[in-house]
Amino acid sequence: MGYLKNHLATVTTGVFAAVLTVLWQYFADTTPILNLIFLMAVPITWFLTLMCWLAQKSTDYVHSHGSEKKSSNQTVMTADGQSVPEIRQIQSDLASELAEIKKTVKLKDGEIERLNQEISNLQTLVQIESLKTELANLKMLASKK
């Protein structure tokens, strides 16, 4: 619980409204512009005081009634009408599906790695064949000279 049972804003605004009300009595007759300013400021500050008080009462009400414990024999229902055991069953089903997908991904990763190795080997073979062809061409050029 905060200061003044969380009514600090209400008290502060109320004191300000009271001070403005008292000042209005002393300074209202001096100039018309001050009378207009006080005529607008005093009701607004009292309205803000009322709103602060209502907001705090509402918050207190929600927190005092929202913290009550539900009885343990009631089943908790979600927004789509499923109970906790149903949700747990769905979670376990999804977890098993996820495990199967992970196994499949691991198999696919292994296959991709094997194919990459084969591609690398084929590239090496192509390079060897290219070198052999180039060597044969050089031998033919050398034999012609």
Side-chain angles (χ1 to χ4, degrees), residues 77-130:
M77 301 297 278
T78 61
D80 57 352
Q82 294 177 335
S83 65
V84 173
E86 291 172 347
I87 292 173
R88 296 209 191 279
Q89 178 62 36
I90 292 170
Q91 283 177 339
S92 65
D93 292 343
L94 290 175
S96 64
E97 284 182 34
L98 180 62
E100 289 175 19
I101 291 172
K102 283 182 180 179
K103 286 179 186 176
T104 305
V105 168
K106 284 182 182 179
L107 291 174
K108 297 292 181 186
D109 286 343
E111 188 175 336
I112 289 171
E113 187 63 38
R114 184 185 58 79
L115 290 173
N116 283 336
Q117 184 64 37
E118 283 185 29
I119 290 170
S120 175
N121 291 341
L122 288 174
Q123 286 175 345
T124 304
L125 287 174
V126 167
Q127 289 172 351
I128 291 171
E129 289 299 320
S130 173

Side-chain angles (χ1 to χ4, degrees), residues 11-144:
V11 170
T12 304
T13 310
V15 168
F16 184 63
V19 168
L20 282 178
T21 305
V22 169
L23 288 176
W24 189 15
Q25 301 303 319
Y26 290 114
F27 294 113
D29 296 332
T30 57
T31 59
I33 190 71
L34 276 179
N35 191 23
L36 176 66
I37 290 172
F38 280 113
L39 186 64
M40 290 182 353
V42 170
I44 290 171
T45 54
W46 282 114
F47 176 76
L48 286 175
T49 303
L50 176 67
M51 288 298 108
C52 286
W53 181 78
L54 285 174
Q56 188 58 49
K57 284 297 183 181
S58 172
T59 303
D60 292 344
Y61 178 80
V62 167
H63 287 291
S64 67
H65 290 291
S67 64
E68 294 175 355
K69 302 286 184 194
K70 305 224 182 246
S71 64
S72 60
N73 60 356
Q74 292 179 344
T75 58
V76 178
M77 301 297 278
T78 61
D80 57 352
Q82 294 177 335
S83 65
V84 173
E86 291 172 347
I87 292 173
R88 296 209 191 279
Q89 178 62 36
I90 292 170
Q91 283 177 339
S92 65
D93 292 343
L94 290 175
S96 64
E97 284 182 34
L98 180 62
E100 289 175 19
I101 291 172
K102 283 182 180 179
K103 286 179 186 176
T104 305
V105 168
K106 284 182 182 179
L107 291 174
K108 297 292 181 186
D109 286 343
E111 188 175 336
I112 289 171
E113 187 63 38
R114 184 185 58 79
L115 290 173
N116 283 336
Q117 184 64 37
E118 283 185 29
I119 290 170
S120 175
N121 291 341
L122 288 174
Q123 286 175 345
T124 304
L125 287 174
V126 167
Q127 289 172 351
I128 291 171
E129 289 299 320
S130 173
L131 288 173
K132 282 182 182 179
T133 305
E134 200 173 321
L135 185 60
N137 287 338
L138 287 175
K139 282 183 182 179
M140 281 199 321
L141 285 175
S143 67
K144 285 183 183 179

